[in-house]
Amino acid sequence: MPHRTPRRTLTTALVALTTGLAALLAGVGTGAGAAGASAPTAASADARPATAHARRAGLDGRIAFVRGGQVFSMDRWGGDVRQLTTSGTNTHPQWSPDGQRIAYLHEAGGRRDIWVMSSGGGRQRAVTTTGDVSSEGASWAPGGKRLAFADGQGQLMTVASQPPFGVQQALGYPTGGFCDVGDTGVRGPVPVDRYLSWSPDGRIAVVNHGDCYFDDRLDHYVVDTQELRQYDASGADCCGYHLWSDLFWGPGSEFGYTLEDFGPYGDEPQPTRIVYPGFRSLDGDTGGAPSPSGHFLALSTTRDGQSVVVRARADGFGRTVLAVGAQPDWQQRP
């Protein structure tokens, strides 16, 4: 936010001007994280990112994506395609903030768990072993030390991203009494219906199917303050009927998602579109993944009956088909 520099001496003014120009050239943004109001937990400590990670655009690296139930990666032009997984079904890859690892959803024998691997596909390890992960993959904390996901009860959980992975931690919030009844001091779990995403500034976006006033909600959970803030709602004769999926954040904590609009009464389904600041979406777009530089967006759409990964400029124009596949995520180049 702009501020005034006191007029003291010519030297002071020149120092202030030099500092401001240096910050501008370094690419420092204006986003601010949530202020902590409670004792830090393992999750909240990792939710406070370094200024450089939260505010500076990074360098665009490789793009991870899914084809035929396996995770691949390619360069940002669609070349140098490498298959990273081979066994089971592996989906929803997510790069770590430092670009060194990929978290993904591994399914085998009816079990669903979060796994991690190195950027080249080595050192594949199971992070969870309960077999009942209900979210579509996991999302990295800003510092990369923890992963958020939903357990078999549809509750928001975190776990360490490095071995030994340790005990899973449930994240909660003061409910104020569920549906205005009961003990207002009760802490409840954060409900997650399949989709979640952890922002660079420490918020976790979740699709919430457990609300008593609306059919569905889109919420932002602030890890530091343990607040659950409603972002959007669907149903209840007030808000139209929407389905949200593929939640994501830009490098400056700009929020985006895939929206399927069913109209004011829920009986007029429209094609999916990506909702993201400044982005012009086309019918059928899904799964946005902003590049670390903020200049591009990778997404999925359908061409000639096949799902393809597309690179577009941040405004939605200049589209290029990169590969057959879906669920892209963009690496910050190490």
Side-chain angles (χ1 to χ4, degrees):
M1 180 177 293
H3 63 278
R4 295 180 178 177
T5 302
R7 297 180 180 176
R8 299 183 185 275
T9 65
L10 178 60
T11 301
T12 302
L14 288 173
V15 170
L17 177 60
T18 303
T19 303
L21 288 173
L24 179 61
L25 292 173
V28 177
T30 57
S38 56
T41 62
S44 64
D46 198 40
R48 301 188 187 105
T51 301
H53 177 76
R55 296 184 176 182
R56 287 185 187 167
L59 299 175
D60 298 342
R62 297 180 64 81
I63 298 171
F65 66 101
V66 174
R67 179 193 294 165
Q70 300 300 331
V71 178
F72 292 74
S73 75
M74 60 183 167
D75 65 33
R76 56 181 174 164
W77 311 113
D80 189 24
V81 177
R82 306 172 188 174
Q83 184 170 346
L84 305 182
T85 62
T86 55
S87 63
T89 300
N90 304 284
T91 57
H92 297 91
Q94 291 286 313
W95 289 97
S96 62
D98 63 5
Q100 300 283 2
R101 294 179 292 160
I102 301 173
Y104 58 100
L105 180 66
H106 175 78
E107 299 180 69
R111 300 175 63 83
R112 291 165 50 98
D113 281 298
I114 302 302
W115 283 48
V116 293
M117 61 180 165
S118 67
S119 60
R123 299 193 298 275
Q124 297 181 5
R125 295 173 179 265
V127 178
T128 69
T129 56
T130 55
D132 64 350
V133 170
S134 61
S135 56
E136 301 297 342
S139 186
W140 295 85
K145 295 180 181 178
R146 299 189 73 79
L147 288 161
F149 66 98
D151 67 5
Q153 303 301 313
Q155 300 179 118
L156 181 60
M157 310 289 289
T158 70
V159 65
S161 66
Q162 293 274 18
F165 300 107
V167 178
Q168 300 171 14
Q169 176 188 354
L171 299 185
Y173 71 106
T175 64
F178 185 70
C179 293
D180 296 330
V181 297
D183 185 353
T184 58
V186 169
R187 280 176 51 82
V190 178
V192 179
D193 184 10
R194 297 179 61 194
Y195 297 99
L196 58 88
S197 183
W198 206 328
S199 75
D201 68 3
R203 291 172 287 166
I204 303 177
V206 300
V207 174
N208 178 354
H209 192 61
D211 189 76
C212 55
Y213 299 111
F214 305 99
D215 292 339
D216 293 287
R217 280 176 35 172
L218 187 55
D219 291 335
H220 289 175
Y221 176 73
V222 184
V223 177
D224 272 354
T225 61
Q226 301 175 8
E227 297 173 81
L228 190 64
R229 302 172 181 172
Q230 179 180 311
Y231 181 87
D232 199 358
S234 172
D237 298 327
C238 77
C239 314
Y241 289 83
H242 307 141
L243 285 180
W244 308 280
S245 60
D246 302 322
L247 313 182
F248 64 91
W249 300 88
S253 291
E254 308 89 350
F255 180 52
Y257 52 90
T258 298
L259 173 67
E260 189 171 3
D261 190 346
F262 285 84
Y265 304 105
D267 56 359
E268 301 175 19
Q270 303 297 315
T272 58
R273 281 183 172 250
I274 291 172
V275 178
Y276 184 65
F279 183 78
R280 176 184 175 272
S281 184
L282 300 180
D283 288 350
D285 288 349
T286 63
S291 69
S293 70
H295 295 157
F296 301 100
L297 197 80
L299 57 96
S300 302
T301 191
T302 302
R303 296 281 177 89
D304 301 324
Q306 276 191 320
S307 179
V308 293
V309 176
V310 172
R311 185 190 70 237
R313 293 200 312 259
D315 60 6
F317 293 89
R319 293 179 171 230
T320 301
V321 175
L322 300 180
V324 172
Q327 300 172 14
D329 192 56
W330 214 308
Q331 175 198 34
Q332 175 161 297
R333 198 164 70 199

